[in-house]
Amino acid sequence: MHIGFIGLGNMGAPMAHNLLKAGHQLSVFDLNAAAVEHLVGAGALPVDTPTAIAQGNAELIITMLPAAPHVKSVYLGESGLIVNSRPGVMLIDCSTIDPHSAREVAKAAAEHGNPMLDAPVSGGTGGAAAGTLTFMVGGSDADFERAQPILAAMGKNIVHCGAAGNGQVAKVANNMLLGISMIGVAEAMALGVALGMDAKTLAGVINTSSGRCWSSDTYNPFPGVLDNVPASRGYSGGFGSDLMLKDLGLATEAAKQVRQPVILGALAQQLYQSFSAQGHGGLDFSAIINQYRKDT
Ligand code: NAD
């Protein structure tokens, strides 16, 4: 299939590579010329603007952009993807944005006759490179069925979450819980160590007891408890604290729109905001434990 791909950053570039590997023809655009060059080297066709992608022969267009303002500027308006695409061309936005913006863009697409899915991902850059991302998809049943073989070239778990915007709903709810659970594990680990316990022994108890969770047994924030996690390599790589802060902001904003209290989510957002303000936004999000540790 001829696919247009816009946004070739840390996630978009490996995703586009996997589409090429699966035999699709790709037209690509990014504001960063070096990112485009890299994909052209792998066989993609460079295109000058999103408008030109929309006016070309692509049967499907995928975007992987930083945040809602970028998504709106690429999709909406005179030079946007929607008014310039042929009706029927499918649009899939894989960026993580708030559900309200996702629904606004999907509505504009539907009015122009373009099926649209929101399909944010989890799995990080490693999952993007390995083609094992989880896609949380919002849109109609028929559009989900149509997109599934394409998404399967980039991911392993492809979950239909309901109507437009619901992919983003699943993403913000999951990541809010992840932020809260990481802070909880950090607090408990720091307390145990401050009271004289060995970190590895404590993690072993938690991981076979009722406190067990992904942040503890797969991504423990205390250095040396697990190999191959950011905590054991100075909190480098992984999922940046600033990205967690962004996702917690999306969750609290979305909650405000429906007047739903997210008390721990808002507290988690403030903790990551303070951590970021101290200059640590580039560290993996498990480094939040450094706000608690007295032994460093
Ligand atoms: P990134 O900043 O590395 O890449 C974004 C790319 O979009 C850049 O290459 C940038 O030049 C390009 N871009 C920005 N505005 C543009 C425009 N108007 N037109 C064309 N290109 C434009 O970001 P990323 O890490 O690839 O993340 C992309 C999305 O995926 C974000 O919404 C992020 O929250 C989400 N996400 C990231 C991760 C991760 O681990 N990095 C994991 C899951 C989800």
Side-chain angles (χ1 to χ4, degrees), residues 72-275:
K72 286 187 187 174
S73 82
V74 166
Y75 278 91
L76 305 175
E78 296 268 297
S79 56
L81 286 179
I82 293 176
V83 293
N84 290 290
S85 289
R86 278 170 286 118
V89 168
M90 181 175 266
L91 307 170
I92 304 180
D93 180 38
C94 297
S95 326
T96 300
I97 66 170
D98 63 287
H100 183 76
S101 298
R103 286 174 180 150
E104 181 188 334
V105 177
K107 185 166 173 279
E111 283 167 4
H112 191 259
N114 294 98
M116 179 155 189
L117 299 172
D118 49 295
V121 302
S122 81
T125 51
T132 57
L133 292 170
T134 292
F135 282 91
M136 293 155 264
V137 186
S140 76
D141 290 348
D143 295 340
F144 176 75
E145 292 303 323
R146 198 176 140 195
Q148 200 167 25
I150 303 298
L151 299 179
M154 302 179 283
K156 202 169 63 171
N157 303 309
I158 299 150
V159 185
H160 189 201
C161 300
N166 280 10
Q168 302 293 355
V169 171
K171 173 79 182 172
V172 298
N174 179 72
N175 278 25
M176 184 182 79
L177 178 56
L178 176 63
I180 294 169
S181 76
M182 179 55 77
I183 291 166
V185 171
E187 201 164 295
M189 290 297 300
L191 173 67
V193 171
L195 290 171
M197 196 155 172
D198 171 66
K200 219 167 184 166
T201 310
L202 176 58
V205 172
I206 291 173
N207 293 339
T208 50
S209 305
S210 46
R212 184 180 65 80
C213 62
W214 185 90
S215 295
S216 173
D217 72 0
T218 308
Y219 212 87
N220 198 288
F222 206 96
V225 167
L226 295 172
D227 297 332
N228 297 324
V229 293
S232 295
R233 50 169 192 265
Y235 301 101
S236 60
F239 182 52
S241 294
D242 274 345
L243 282 179
M244 175 51 83
L245 175 60
K246 172 196 164 193
D247 289 357
L248 287 165
L250 293 178
T252 51
E253 268 307 306
K256 197 160 79 183
Q257 284 161 6
V258 290
R259 298 188 187 283
Q260 173 65 34
V262 284
I263 296 149
L264 294 181
L267 193 55
Q269 191 219 355
Q270 289 300 310
L271 274 165
Y272 276 102
Q273 193 154 295
S274 149
F275 195 51

Side-chain angles (χ1 to χ4, degrees), residues 6 9-11 29-31 64-66 70 74 96 121 124 246:
I6 301 174
N10 292 326
M11 297 293 288
F29 173 72
D30 193 293
L31 294 175
M64 189 49 159
L65 298 162
H70 310 85
V74 166
T96 300
V121 302
K246 172 196 164 193

